[in-house]
Every structure is written in structure tokens, then in C-alpha cells.
Amino acid sequence: NAGVMQNPRHLVRRRGQEARLRCSPMKGHSHVYWYRQLPEEGLKFMVYLQKENIIDESGMPKERFSAEFPKEGPSILRIQQVVRGDSAAYFCASSPPSGRGEQYFGPGTRLTVT
Amino acid sequence: AQSVTQPDIHITVSEGASLELRCNYSYGATPYLFWYVQSPGQGLQLLLKYFSGDTLVQGIKGFEAEFKRSQSSFNLRKPSVHWSDAAEYFCAVGGYADSGAGSYQLTFGKGTKLSVIP
């Protein structure tokens, strides 16, 4: 009974490169949330997706960040032209169709921008 | 806007002692409340949740939490702490986002780091 899968677990990018973070939700879950954890700031909501739809992106930075959850395959969080301030842990969570906020988290991807 | 306050940044207790971690929330309606635990370098594990009904909820690993609407609190408790409980604990509130998008995004407190003395 696999939980939420995220890969890679660690990602190092130079400034200006692109970062792609992947998330496979738990079996039977159709809702995916992305959060970012910055030192001293805690976890912040970024985006909420269902299959093929972005439902709420109110927490996403306006530029360079995008997310998708295609009909087939994992959800992708994409960061273009990374900067040092993007260094953080990015967590994906999934929830069952009832979607009342009961979210199960993956192990996270730790992004380091050099 | 919803918010969560965890007033204690760091707590140290002796193994076998009781534990209470404080959490206060701000939310316009009946909230959905959660406690998560995070070990270093790991993801978050759901300890327990409150949606409605009995205000005292039981979770995994011997934890419990009590919802007190009058105090806007959802404190986490454990009667006897084990060394393996050393971790960071996050309280979170969820509900329809103010954006009206139907999103059950979670708003987290900044966490309480628990250290356990053998």
C-alpha cells in the first residue's frame, strides 16, 4: 500500500536552470497539493490540483512556477530559471475524493540552488 | 484568513514525562484540525484529525488532542513521552480557502520542536 511518492528526493540546480519535481499520489487519491517549506517560515500552500485541472493556485509565485497533474502520470511542479531563494523542501500531499483536507504527505524533494 | 499559532518553538521533556503542545487557530467557521509530526529530513506524518463530533480525538502513537471552540485551541497531549517522539510537531487548520476555489488547503503553524531527555 504505497504512500505518496516524490522524486527526486534531492535536487541540485545552478541558478537559471529548470527544476522539475514529481509527485505520485496515493492509490485512489485524485487530489494533489503542493507545499513549500522554507527555514524559519514553515509550510506554505502553493497549489491544489485535480486530474487535468488546477483548482487553486493562490499560493503560487506569479512567475517561474507552474504545476500540472495530467490524466496519466504524476503531478509535476516546475520551476523555471531557479534562483537561490527557491532552495527549500517541496512537499506533495494527496487526499481522497472526499477532500476534506485530510492530506497525506510524501517525503519531499529538497531543492538546492547553487 | 485562517491562521495557526504554535506559541512554543522548542520544548524539552524527560522521557516518561507528560507532554502538551499548544495550538491556537483562527478560522471563520468550524475548522478541520490536524496534527502532523516531522522527523529530520522526512515528510509529515498525520497524527490525528478533528472534523466534528467528540472533541477529544485519539491518534496514533498514543497521542490525543482536544478541540476547545471557546478557546480556539487544539492542544496535543501524550501521557508518557518516549525518546522516539523527539521530532517537530505541526498543527494545521483546513477548510474551504478564502479564495472560494473549493480548495481544502492546509494552513500550518510554524512548528514546535520536541527534544526528549533520556
Side-chain angles (χ1 to χ4, degrees), chain A residues 51-72:
Chain A
K51 285 283 187 181
E52 302 184 278
N53 284 301
I54 297 174
I55 307 300
D56 181 0
E57 55 183 348
S58 59
M60 284 277 269
K62 299 300 180 190
E63 297 178 348
R64 303 186 297 108
F65 285 73
S66 62
E68 63 178 10
F69 191 12
K71 186 176 181 181
E72 301 292 336

mmCIF file of all heavy atoms in Angstrom, chain A residues 51-72:
data_model
loop_
_atom_site.group_PDB
_atom_site.id
_atom_site.type_symbol
_atom_site.label_atom_id
_atom_site.label_comp_id
_atom_site.label_asym_id
_atom_site.label_seq_id
_atom_site.Cartn_x
_atom_site.Cartn_y
_atom_site.Cartn_z
ATOM 1 N N LYS A 51 -7.021 15.890 -11.325
ATOM 2 C CA LYS A 51 -6.586 15.410 -12.643
ATOM 3 C C LYS A 51 -6.972 16.422 -13.739
ATOM 4 O O LYS A 51 -8.141 16.779 -13.881
ATOM 5 C CB LYS A 51 -7.233 14.071 -12.958
ATOM 6 C CG LYS A 51 -6.636 12.903 -12.192
ATOM 7 C CD LYS A 51 -5.314 12.473 -12.764
ATOM 8 C CE LYS A 51 -4.801 11.204 -12.098
ATOM 9 N NZ LYS A 51 -3.490 10.794 -12.634
ATOM 10 N N GLU A 52 -5.956 16.886 -14.445
ATOM 11 C CA GLU A 52 -6.106 17.780 -15.588
ATOM 12 C C GLU A 52 -6.650 19.164 -15.234
ATOM 13 O O GLU A 52 -6.969 19.942 -16.140
ATOM 14 C CB GLU A 52 -6.986 17.147 -16.683
ATOM 15 C CG GLU A 52 -6.445 15.822 -17.198
ATOM 16 C CD GLU A 52 -7.275 15.272 -18.328
ATOM 17 O OE1 GLU A 52 -8.310 14.638 -18.059
ATOM 18 O OE2 GLU A 52 -6.878 15.478 -19.493
ATOM 19 N N ASN A 53 -6.734 19.489 -13.971
ATOM 20 C CA ASN A 53 -7.257 20.802 -13.581
ATOM 21 C C ASN A 53 -6.467 21.404 -12.441
ATOM 22 O O ASN A 53 -6.140 20.726 -11.464
ATOM 23 C CB ASN A 53 -8.722 20.683 -13.133
ATOM 24 C CG ASN A 53 -9.665 20.518 -14.285
ATOM 25 O OD1 ASN A 53 -9.734 21.373 -15.170
ATOM 26 N ND2 ASN A 53 -10.397 19.425 -14.284
ATOM 27 N N ILE A 54 -6.173 22.686 -12.554
ATOM 28 C CA ILE A 54 -5.655 23.447 -11.426
ATOM 29 C C ILE A 54 -6.851 24.082 -10.739
ATOM 30 O O ILE A 54 -7.595 24.850 -11.352
ATOM 31 C CB ILE A 54 -4.674 24.532 -11.890
ATOM 32 C CG1 ILE A 54 -3.445 23.895 -12.546
ATOM 33 C CG2 ILE A 54 -4.245 25.402 -10.698
ATOM 34 C CD1 ILE A 54 -2.493 24.901 -13.159
ATOM 35 N N ILE A 55 -7.053 23.730 -9.477
ATOM 36 C CA ILE A 55 -8.229 24.200 -8.749
ATOM 37 C C ILE A 55 -7.926 25.497 -7.999
ATOM 38 O O ILE A 55 -8.736 26.416 -7.962
ATOM 39 C CB ILE A 55 -8.746 23.142 -7.767
ATOM 40 C CG1 ILE A 55 -8.972 21.799 -8.480
ATOM 41 C CG2 ILE A 55 -10.010 23.622 -7.070
ATOM 42 C CD1 ILE A 55 -9.972 21.870 -9.611
ATOM 43 N N ASP A 56 -6.769 25.572 -7.391
ATOM 44 C CA ASP A 56 -6.421 26.732 -6.574
ATOM 45 C C ASP A 56 -4.916 26.935 -6.653
ATOM 46 O O ASP A 56 -4.165 26.081 -6.198
ATOM 47 C CB ASP A 56 -6.872 26.497 -5.127
ATOM 48 C CG ASP A 56 -6.576 27.675 -4.189
ATOM 49 O OD1 ASP A 56 -6.010 28.688 -4.642
ATOM 50 O OD2 ASP A 56 -6.900 27.556 -2.989
ATOM 51 N N GLU A 57 -4.505 28.015 -7.238
ATOM 52 C CA GLU A 57 -3.065 28.322 -7.311
ATOM 53 C C GLU A 57 -2.760 29.625 -6.585
ATOM 54 O O GLU A 57 -1.806 30.327 -6.906
ATOM 55 C CB GLU A 57 -2.586 28.364 -8.754
ATOM 56 C CG GLU A 57 -3.356 29.299 -9.647
ATOM 57 C CD GLU A 57 -2.867 29.243 -11.101
ATOM 58 O OE1 GLU A 57 -1.799 28.653 -11.362
ATOM 59 O OE2 GLU A 57 -3.555 29.807 -11.966
ATOM 60 N N SER A 58 -3.540 29.926 -5.581
ATOM 61 C CA SER A 58 -3.396 31.192 -4.878
ATOM 62 C C SER A 58 -2.074 31.328 -4.132
ATOM 63 O O SER A 58 -1.662 32.427 -3.793
ATOM 64 C CB SER A 58 -4.564 31.392 -3.900
ATOM 65 O OG SER A 58 -4.630 30.341 -2.958
ATOM 66 N N GLY A 59 -1.403 30.230 -3.868
ATOM 67 C CA GLY A 59 -0.130 30.280 -3.165
ATOM 68 C C GLY A 59 1.087 30.204 -4.065
ATOM 69 O O GLY A 59 2.223 30.237 -3.580
ATOM 70 N N MET A 60 0.868 30.146 -5.335
ATOM 71 C CA MET A 60 1.988 30.013 -6.278
ATOM 72 C C MET A 60 2.579 31.386 -6.586
ATOM 73 O O MET A 60 1.844 32.345 -6.838
ATOM 74 C CB MET A 60 1.510 29.396 -7.588
ATOM 75 C CG MET A 60 1.262 27.922 -7.510
ATOM 76 S SD MET A 60 2.745 26.953 -7.699
ATOM 77 C CE MET A 60 2.684 26.723 -9.480
ATOM 78 N N PRO A 61 3.909 31.487 -6.595
ATOM 79 C CA PRO A 61 4.516 32.723 -7.113
ATOM 80 C C PRO A 61 4.037 32.969 -8.546
ATOM 81 O O PRO A 61 3.789 32.033 -9.300
ATOM 82 C CB PRO A 61 6.013 32.408 -7.072
ATOM 83 C CG PRO A 61 6.149 31.349 -6.023
ATOM 84 C CD PRO A 61 4.911 30.529 -6.126
ATOM 85 N N LYS A 62 3.900 34.242 -8.889
ATOM 86 C CA LYS A 62 3.294 34.583 -10.178
ATOM 87 C C LYS A 62 4.173 34.231 -11.352
ATOM 88 O O LYS A 62 3.688 33.979 -12.457
ATOM 89 C CB LYS A 62 2.969 36.084 -10.209
ATOM 90 C CG LYS A 62 1.971 36.515 -9.142
ATOM 91 C CD LYS A 62 0.646 35.803 -9.270
ATOM 92 C CE LYS A 62 -0.325 36.264 -8.196
ATOM 93 N NZ LYS A 62 -1.531 35.426 -8.159
ATOM 94 N N GLU A 63 5.465 34.216 -11.124
ATOM 95 C CA GLU A 63 6.387 33.964 -12.227
ATOM 96 C C GLU A 63 7.232 32.743 -11.935
ATOM 97 O O GLU A 63 7.501 32.397 -10.795
ATOM 98 C CB GLU A 63 7.286 35.186 -12.431
ATOM 99 C CG GLU A 63 6.515 36.436 -12.824
ATOM 100 C CD GLU A 63 7.425 37.647 -12.975
ATOM 101 O OE1 GLU A 63 8.599 37.574 -12.559
ATOM 102 O OE2 GLU A 63 6.953 38.680 -13.494
ATOM 103 N N ARG A 64 7.617 32.074 -12.970
ATOM 104 C CA ARG A 64 8.584 30.976 -12.996
ATOM 105 C C ARG A 64 8.041 29.658 -12.468
ATOM 106 O O ARG A 64 8.651 28.624 -12.710
ATOM 107 C CB ARG A 64 9.881 31.334 -12.239
ATOM 108 C CG ARG A 64 10.580 32.571 -12.741
ATOM 109 C CD ARG A 64 11.921 32.776 -12.042
ATOM 110 N NE ARG A 64 11.748 32.994 -10.604
ATOM 111 C CZ ARG A 64 12.073 32.103 -9.672
ATOM 112 N NH1 ARG A 64 12.574 30.921 -10.002
ATOM 113 N NH2 ARG A 64 11.903 32.384 -8.386
ATOM 114 N N PHE A 65 6.950 29.653 -11.750
ATOM 115 C CA PHE A 65 6.412 28.428 -11.159
ATOM 116 C C PHE A 65 5.171 27.983 -11.927
ATOM 117 O O PHE A 65 4.308 28.802 -12.248
ATOM 118 C CB PHE A 65 6.036 28.641 -9.691
ATOM 119 C CG PHE A 65 7.201 28.708 -8.752
ATOM 120 C CD1 PHE A 65 8.028 29.815 -8.728
ATOM 121 C CD2 PHE A 65 7.461 27.656 -7.868
ATOM 122 C CE1 PHE A 65 9.107 29.883 -7.857
ATOM 123 C CE2 PHE A 65 8.531 27.727 -6.987
ATOM 124 C CZ PHE A 65 9.355 28.836 -6.983
ATOM 125 N N SER A 66 5.073 26.682 -12.164
ATOM 126 C CA SER A 66 3.875 26.133 -12.769
ATOM 127 C C SER A 66 3.673 24.712 -12.266
ATOM 128 O O SER A 66 4.604 24.070 -11.767
ATOM 129 C CB SER A 66 3.969 26.144 -14.301
ATOM 130 O OG SER A 66 5.043 25.328 -14.733
ATOM 131 N N ALA A 67 2.455 24.237 -12.372
ATOM 132 C CA ALA A 67 2.145 22.879 -11.913
ATOM 133 C C ALA A 67 1.135 22.263 -12.854
ATOM 134 O O ALA A 67 0.328 22.951 -13.474
ATOM 135 C CB ALA A 67 1.596 22.901 -10.483
ATOM 136 N N GLU A 68 1.198 20.950 -12.924
ATOM 137 C CA GLU A 68 0.233 20.215 -13.729
ATOM 138 C C GLU A 68 -0.020 18.853 -13.101
ATOM 139 O O GLU A 68 0.802 18.341 -12.337
ATOM 140 C CB GLU A 68 0.730 20.042 -15.162
ATOM 141 C CG GLU A 68 2.003 19.234 -15.296
ATOM 142 C CD GLU A 68 2.433 19.055 -16.744
ATOM 143 O OE1 GLU A 68 1.865 19.714 -17.631
ATOM 144 O OE2 GLU A 68 3.334 18.235 -16.979
ATOM 145 N N PHE A 69 -1.140 18.270 -13.439
ATOM 146 C CA PHE A 69 -1.500 16.927 -12.980
ATOM 147 C C PHE A 69 -2.231 16.284 -14.148
ATOM 148 O O PHE A 69 -3.446 16.351 -14.253
ATOM 149 C CB PHE A 69 -2.385 17.005 -11.753
ATOM 150 C CG PHE A 69 -2.610 15.691 -11.041
ATOM 151 C CD1 PHE A 69 -1.864 14.562 -11.334
ATOM 152 C CD2 PHE A 69 -3.589 15.599 -10.068
ATOM 153 C CE1 PHE A 69 -2.077 13.368 -10.683
ATOM 154 C CE2 PHE A 69 -3.815 14.410 -9.389
ATOM 155 C CZ PHE A 69 -3.061 13.297 -9.694
ATOM 156 N N PRO A 70 -1.475 15.673 -15.044
ATOM 157 C CA PRO A 70 -2.087 15.137 -16.265
ATOM 158 C C PRO A 70 -2.963 13.924 -15.988
ATOM 159 O O PRO A 70 -2.917 13.319 -14.915
ATOM 160 C CB PRO A 70 -0.865 14.764 -17.126
ATOM 161 C CG PRO A 70 0.236 14.553 -16.147
ATOM 162 C CD PRO A 70 -0.026 15.479 -15.005
ATOM 163 N N LYS A 71 -3.737 13.566 -17.007
ATOM 164 C CA LYS A 71 -4.615 12.413 -16.873
ATOM 165 C C LYS A 71 -3.827 11.153 -16.545
ATOM 166 O O LYS A 71 -4.266 10.310 -15.750
ATOM 167 C CB LYS A 71 -5.392 12.231 -18.179
ATOM 168 C CG LYS A 71 -6.453 11.147 -18.133
ATOM 169 C CD LYS A 71 -7.228 11.103 -19.438
ATOM 170 C CE LYS A 71 -8.303 10.032 -19.387
ATOM 171 N NZ LYS A 71 -9.061 9.977 -20.684
ATOM 172 N N GLU A 72 -2.691 11.019 -17.157
ATOM 173 C CA GLU A 72 -1.811 9.885 -16.876
ATOM 174 C C GLU A 72 -0.494 10.408 -16.338
ATOM 175 O O GLU A 72 0.036 11.379 -16.853
ATOM 176 C CB GLU A 72 -1.555 9.072 -18.156
ATOM 177 C CG GLU A 72 -2.822 8.515 -18.810
ATOM 178 C CD GLU A 72 -3.476 7.431 -17.973
ATOM 179 O OE1 GLU A 72 -2.761 6.804 -17.172
ATOM 180 O OE2 GLU A 72 -4.707 7.218 -18.130
#
